Amino acid sequence: MKKLLFCTVISAMLFLLALPAVVSSQAEQDMAKQKEFRIERSISEAGVACIQCHKQEHPGIFGDWANSRHANANITCIDCHKAEQTDPDVSKEHFQQYEKTDSQWGRKQYRVPVAGVVTPKDCSRCHPDEAEQYKRSKHANTLEIIWKIDPWLNKGMNSDFERASGCFYCHGTVLETDEEGNLTPETWPNVGVGRMNLDGSKGSCSSCHTRHRFSVMEARKPQACGQCHLGPDHPQIEIYTESKHGAIYDSFGDEYNWDAAPGTWSPGVDYRAPTCASCHMSGAGSTRTTHDVTERLSWEIQAPLTVRPSDFKAFPAKTNWEVERKKMKEICLQCHGNNWVDDHYATFDKVVEEYNEVYFKPARDLMNELYEKGLVDDEKMFDEKIEVEYYELWHHEGRRARMGAAMMAPDYTWWHGFYEVKHRYNSFMKKGRELIEHNKKAEKAPDFPNATGRTTRPEAIFGSQ
Ligand code: HEC
Ligand code: HEC
Ligand code: HEC
Ligand code: HEC
Ligand code: HEC
Ligand code: HEC
Ligand code: HEC
Ligand code: HEC
């Protein structure tokens, strides 16, 4: 049904524009040479001007676009970048390009308002399903989530600059313009998954499909996700590399058919072992392709206490975990038998339960007691060493144990996971109990530099408070 709709949209568009293919497939393979680009169809003169001038000015941008499916389907610069004269993000500087005397394309009659930012709303004109699914995902809504639950932000424990160059690079910035109407360097450039755009839409489709190729091949490879999904607190790419699935990808990935048409990328036919996208996004069997990565999940294994996605308070998923688990299993079952998959989930559930009951709950109860007795002050976070220990117990080691088990990486489950959890737990519990026994305040770090970040939640997301 969805594919049918998509095809209808494409053919309707092609019909309306009544255009032959833009780039010959020969030219497409000819990337390295200076491309010859013949405009053999009717696009507006202003549209031709964009292409011709930018071909000179930015051969990198032109080349990527000319090799994209968009160029093939006659989708040009103007389709994505054209803005209204009054849009807040319209580039005022760009109008100067149309006052050039040294370029035949820099003439007044080609003048069109353009914006550098191209948002999910812009893409939604032609890709409504993807944009709609994306909109309800945790990816799109991550800024709301982290401002609700994160101590670094809410307690102002790092600087605005540390956030801009760290957190918001992955999570996304709230775009802002200065008096001149230019995007500010604190918020741009940025392609974080939850970027808050000036048109009110959330996210950036180029987090996974970099411009201007907008390739499904790129998004299907694990590296697309690994840019953000790595490191001590969410090492999914490391976990994947360690797993059998990742090892098979390393050995046979060159033979996978990465370019299969959207919605047809099939396990067993196009690839031998799944990538991140196969399990979390691409369709197989009766499970449909989705741009909502919250689908197919039955646990929140990044959370301090593992809960079902619908019970995750900061952003309760509108899903039923049993239905979602079934969707994920349907993917596995393309290559595995029932027992293999059920037993994998049985182990995973057991890991979640042990982490929750044996380690997390007792640690949490002790931490709460320390706060209640005033032995640790809860005004700030991370300034007392024992708070850091508690944080790392769930946020680093405890996550690694659970994520390793979810995605078949025993080294992460044990050596980087439970092994470290045990150490941390022992030392945390000992220190905590000692403080209570002697009614002693916890040791504070003498310095806590750069705890200067603003603590007010962004108005663009939460409204004025
Ligand atoms: C005569 C040359 C010329 C034409 C015609 C032209 N551009 Fe540009 N454009 C440029 C140059 C040069 C820059 C880079 C300016 C800079 O680096 O400060 C630019 C920048 C841009 C940017 C980035 C703006 C930003 O804020 O980062 C976009 C998007 C863009 N052009 C799109 C278009 C589109 C769409 C068209 C056609 C409607 C077009 N351009 C027509 C020369 C041109
Ligand atoms: C399918 C939509 C689409 C098309 C078609 C498209 N762009 Fe873009 N362009 C984007 C996106 C997305 C970005 C990244 C900005 C963002 O994340 O919002 C971008 C960024 C840019 C930038 C700023 C990049 C930088 O590094 O400074 C320029 C300049 C630009 N585009 C020019 C062009 C030109 C010229 C064409 C035609 C040859 C074109 N674009 C076609 C979507 C598009
Ligand atoms: C004016 C309509 C239009 C707009 C706007 C548009 N697209 Fe497309 N897009 C298309 C069409 C048509 C195709 C199919 C081309 C084909 O199959 O040959 C396509 C294909 C794609 C594909 C599949 C490419 C592949 O390798 O198979 C991706 C990914 C994509 N678009 C992403 C985007 C993103 C992201 C944006 C916004 C930045 C965007 N598109 C904006 C019309 C559009
Ligand atoms: C390298 C990219 C990256 C950086 C830098 C980064 N994060 Fe994250 N963050 C992620 C990813 C990926 C996840 C998802 C983890 C998961 O669900 O397994 C995440 C998860 C989170 C969560 C948990 C959300 C939830 O649904 O429970 C919070 C809160 C958070 N990050 C806040 C921050 C803050 C604050 C910073 C800076 C101090 C930061 N992050 C820096 C990528 C990043
Ligand atoms: C988290 C990474 C990610 C983000 C962000 C993302 N995509 Fe995709 N996209 C993918 C993957 C993976 C596929 C390939 C699915 C498959 O195997 O067919 C894909 C496929 C597509 C396709 C091809 C048709 C289809 O549905 O399979 C289009 C069109 C597309 N994306 C548009 C978008 C748009 C529009 C946005 C922003 C609203 C976006 N994408 C954001 C990962 C992403
Ligand atoms: C630009 C950074 C970035 C990229 C690229 C990215 N992600 Fe994420 N992802 C995040 C962040 C940040 C979160 C945490 C959102 C939250 O919970 O607040 C997240 C969360 C998730 C979640 C957990 C959702 C939930 O409901 O708990 C899944 C699954 C996921 N991403 C899969 C993927 C896959 C698969 C890809 C590649 C196709 C990918 N991501 C690419 C940043 C990214
Ligand atoms: C073999 C399939 C498979 C592959 C490959 C895979 N995952 Fe997963 N992933 C899972 C399963 C199963 C879960 C647990 C789902 C649940 O909650 O029931 C999971 C959980 C997650 C979570 C959720 C953590 C949370 O917040 O609850 C994220 C994020 C994630 N995977 C990202 C990735 C990334 C990024 C890659 C690639 C580097 C990847 N996955 C590769 C199957 C896979
Ligand atoms: C495209 C096919 C494919 C899909 C989809 C797939 N797997 Fe696999 N998986 C394989 C192959 C091939 C192996 C290697 C088996 C071997 O050891 O010979 C494997 C190995 C495994 C292993 C054994 C790991 C080890 O280190 O011995 C587990 C467990 C597993 N898969 C679980 C899953 C689960 C759970 C899913 C769904 C979330 C899934 N797989 C999806 C193909 C797939």
Side-chain angles (χ1 to χ4, degrees):
M1 171 64 199
K2 196 189 92 178
K3 231 164 90 191
L4 230 160
L5 193 77
F6 191 59
C7 292
T8 321
V9 172
I10 298 169
S11 22
M13 236 154 27
L14 290 180
F15 176 76
L16 280 176
L17 300 167
L19 300 158
V22 175
V23 190
S24 75
S25 57
Q26 181 52 43
E28 241 178 70
Q29 290 152 14
D30 237 351
M31 173 78 178
K33 298 184 213 145
Q34 162 72 280
K35 268 181 86 78
E36 192 187 325
F37 189 75
R38 292 177 303 280
I39 296 173
E40 296 169 338
R41 69 235 130 94
S42 50
I43 45 176
S44 69
E45 289 195 324
V48 174
C50 321
I51 298 168
Q52 293 297 1
C53 184
H54 276 277
K55 185 178 164 190
Q56 299 301 323
E57 295 284 345
H58 305 113
I61 289 176
F62 168 78
D64 269 351
W65 168 77
N67 283 294
S68 72
R69 294 260 167 103
H70 283 138
N72 259 318
N74 212 44
I75 311 297
T76 73
C77 326
I78 218 166
D79 290 310
C80 291
H81 287 287
K82 186 175 188 291
E84 297 302 323
Q85 190 87 26
T86 51
D87 284 353
D89 56 352
V90 71
S91 168
K92 297 194 179 63
E93 278 171 18
H94 197 269
F95 290 125
Q96 291 162 15
Q97 302 302 334
Y98 297 102
E99 286 159 19
K100 285 188 167 169
T101 48
D102 58 344
S103 160
Q104 77 174 109
W105 305 108
R107 303 230 179 99
K108 258 207 197 82
Q109 69 261 37
Y110 304 136
R111 193 176 182 276
V112 166
V114 308
V117 187
V118 179
T119 72
K121 192 170 165 197
D122 297 323
C123 313
S124 76
R125 277 197 334 177
C126 306
H127 304 298
D129 290 350
E130 287 80 5
E132 197 50 43
Q133 292 157 358
Y134 190 72
K135 201 168 145 187
R136 55 173 189 258
S137 71
K138 262 191 164 187
H139 272 157
N141 294 286
T142 184
L143 286 182
E144 179 185 331
I145 297 171
I146 69 175
W147 272 101
K148 278 185 179 160
I149 62 178
D150 193 86
W152 293 102
L153 305 178
N154 286 296
K155 307 229 168 187
M157 299 309 292
N158 52 4
S159 72
D160 287 330
F161 180 70
E162 285 165 350
R163 293 173 186 177
S165 54
C167 321
F168 301 149
Y169 225 88
C170 299
H171 288 269
T173 51
V174 177
L175 291 182
E176 279 167 10
T177 49
D178 60 19
E179 299 91 62
E180 311 273 271
N182 298 318
L183 291 159
T184 62
E186 290 79 23
T187 65
W188 184 256
N190 184 276
V191 292
V193 277
R195 187 179 76 197
M196 186 73 209
N197 300 300
L198 292 161
D199 63 10
S201 67
K202 292 174 186 170
S204 126
C205 306
S206 33
S207 320
C208 299
H209 307 283
T210 54
R211 40 94 179 178
H212 287 91
R213 284 295 284 265
F214 297 106
S215 142
V216 284
M217 176 214 261
E218 181 181 27
R220 284 168 177 162
K221 293 201 171 172
Q223 286 81 1
C225 320
Q227 311 164 58
C228 301
H229 287 271
L230 79 172
D233 54 339
H234 32 69
Q236 281 99 6
I237 188 74
E238 294 91 334
I239 284 173
Y240 178 71
T241 307
E242 184 195 331
S243 75
K244 274 264 189 309
H245 296 140
I248 294 172
Y249 161 75
D250 276 344
S251 306
F252 293 92
D254 288 348
E255 297 170 11
Y256 289 8
N257 178 21
W258 297 104
D259 260 337
T264 71
W265 199 43
S266 309
V269 181
D270 296 318
Y271 57 90
R272 272 197 73 202
T275 66
C276 323
S278 325
C279 288
H280 290 284
M281 299 185 70
S282 304
S286 61
T287 300
R288 302 276 188 97
T289 303
T290 183
H291 271 68
D292 176 3
V293 287
T294 305
E295 282 184 34
R296 307 183 194 176
L297 302 184
S298 59
W299 288 115
E300 296 280 353
I301 50 177
Q302 86 294 345
L305 178 72
T306 325
V307 293
R308 299 297 179 189
S310 52
D311 298 330
F312 180 68
K313 285 210 192 75
F315 195 76
K318 294 187 181 67
T319 55
N320 170 304
W321 71 267
E322 282 163 312
V323 173
E324 300 308 324
R325 179 172 287 198
K326 233 176 136 215
K327 288 191 201 161
M328 179 72 91
K329 280 186 174 177
E330 173 75 7
I331 306 282
C332 319
L333 292 172
Q334 306 299 311
C335 306
H336 295 294
N338 253 321
N339 282 349
W340 187 282
V341 175
D342 286 348
D343 292 355
H344 168 79
Y345 269 100
T347 312
F348 173 39
D349 287 347
K350 195 87 184 101
V351 163
V352 165
E353 189 196 320
E354 285 204 5
Y355 159 82
N356 271 359
E357 302 301 325
V358 178
Y359 301 97
F360 182 72
K361 282 186 181 168
R364 179 196 58 189
D365 293 347
L366 185 63
M367 194 70 223
N368 285 341
E369 193 179 340
L370 290 166
Y371 281 135
E372 273 156 27
K373 298 205 153 107
L375 302 176
V376 179
D377 100 73
D378 65 355
E379 193 90 331
K380 285 190 171 173
M381 187 72 186
F382 309 119
D383 53 340
E384 281 133 323
K385 219 173 150 203
I386 196 161
E387 288 178 315
V388 179
E389 292 222 20
Y390 174 68
Y391 183 69
E392 294 196 349
L393 173 77
W394 70 263
H395 189 269
H396 286 45
E397 294 114 18
R399 274 191 185 169
R400 296 198 296 251
R402 288 173 284 169
M403 291 173 185
M407 290 175 273
M408 308 101 203
D411 193 52
Y412 274 86
T413 309
W414 172 248
W415 291 117
H416 297 293
F418 280 128
Y419 171 81
E420 299 279 351
V421 171
K422 268 187 212 298
H423 269 301
R424 186 73 67 190
Y425 183 85
N426 291 349
S427 128
F428 169 82
M429 296 300 279
K430 178 165 177 279
K431 280 182 204 155
R433 288 202 195 101
E434 273 169 15
L435 295 177
I436 290 171
E437 198 178 316
H438 301 108
N439 198 27
K440 193 173 149 217
K441 288 207 162 142
E443 194 188 324
K444 258 196 190 181
D447 298 307
F448 203 93
N450 251 357
T452 55
R454 64 172 200 165
T455 51
T456 43
R457 295 174 174 189
E459 219 180 295
I461 299 168
F462 292 93
S464 55
Q465 287 145 17

